[in-house]
Amino acid sequence: MITDVNVLDRTADEMDREEIIGQFADGLWNDNGASLAELHFGCNADQIEWDDKDFSHMEFVPAVTVAINIAEITEGRFDRATCETLHRLFFVGPHHPAIKRSLMKALAYERERVAQETPSEEFLSKIRKHLLVARMGVQANFRAEFEEFMLLARNLRQEGLFSR
């Protein structure tokens, strides 16, 4: 018997959007170790599209896309990242709940925009806002992960277990 009220309160649409986000996570995780300088992502009503370059070469382009430049979000420390690292920054770091909420909202607004069947700048700006919040969460996760790594390295150096 399910006793978790949150599970009972979830709608089919919410569960569907969570599945779409899960497919995005799986896609990043299962990529063949590609090293990316940029990640472009955006949402259609039924999936989150992503690529290592803009979407101009694709047949179906999301109405709103956001780019993550690795050198920019890592503040120049790195110029490339693997898909596995990007998966970690989206779905494992301390800000991953906020990123997931933002992706859920962006998908909801995209679905509403498509259902309206008329272009709406209001929907597009809300989708962009939530995708940008997700992007900021990825950058915040990098900062948190990097600071944790630097603290660990400093402690290991002090113990003589790590050197530059």
Side-chain angles (χ1 to χ4, degrees):
M1 177 176 191
I2 298 175
T3 59
D4 186 352
V5 175
N6 292 331
V7 172
L8 295 174
D9 289 344
R10 290 181 21 210
T11 66
D13 180 62
E14 288 173 319
M15 290 186 287
D16 190 41
R17 285 182 283 139
E18 285 181 357
E19 176 67 25
I20 291 168
I21 292 169
Q23 290 169 358
F24 173 48
D26 291 346
L28 283 174
W29 182 256
N30 293 321
D31 196 84
N32 293 330
S35 179
L36 310 177
E38 293 183 344
L39 175 76
H40 296 259
F41 67 103
C43 57
N44 290 323
D46 61 348
Q47 68 183 36
I48 296 177
E49 297 279 358
W50 65 278
D51 205 341
D52 63 341
K53 52 187 173 265
D54 68 34
F55 290 102
S56 62
H57 65 285
M58 296 177 71
E59 185 176 348
F60 299 104
V61 178
V64 178
T65 61
V66 172
I68 294 176
N69 179 294
I70 302 306
E72 181 184 332
I73 69 160
T74 64
E75 299 166 350
R77 291 179 178 99
F78 303 97
D79 61 351
R80 302 185 76 73
T82 65
C83 289
E84 183 179 337
T85 298
L86 288 165
H87 174 276
R88 181 174 175 79
L89 293 176
F90 269 98
F91 300 108
V92 179
H95 299 279
H96 81 273
I99 294 168
K100 182 178 178 184
R101 279 192 305 275
S102 294
L103 293 173
M104 290 281 286
K105 289 177 183 178
L107 282 165
Y109 283 120
E110 173 62 11
R111 287 175 166 209
E112 185 67 23
R113 184 188 74 80
V114 170
Q116 296 285 328
E117 296 183 357
T118 56
S120 169
E121 189 57 42
E122 179 184 351
F123 284 118
L124 295 176
S125 68
K126 288 179 180 181
I127 295 165
R128 177 171 302 287
K129 172 188 154 190
H130 290 292
L131 292 177
L132 288 171
V133 168
R135 181 189 183 281
M136 289 186 307
V138 168
Q139 184 169 16
N141 276 344
F142 170 78
R143 286 183 184 138
E145 294 282 325
F146 190 75
E147 287 173 15
E148 185 178 318
F149 170 77
M150 293 305 291
L151 180 62
L152 175 64
R154 188 181 75 215
N155 290 340
L156 290 173
R157 263 195 312 275
Q158 287 174 348
E159 295 174 16
L161 300 172
F162 179 78
S163 63
R164 288 184 189 204

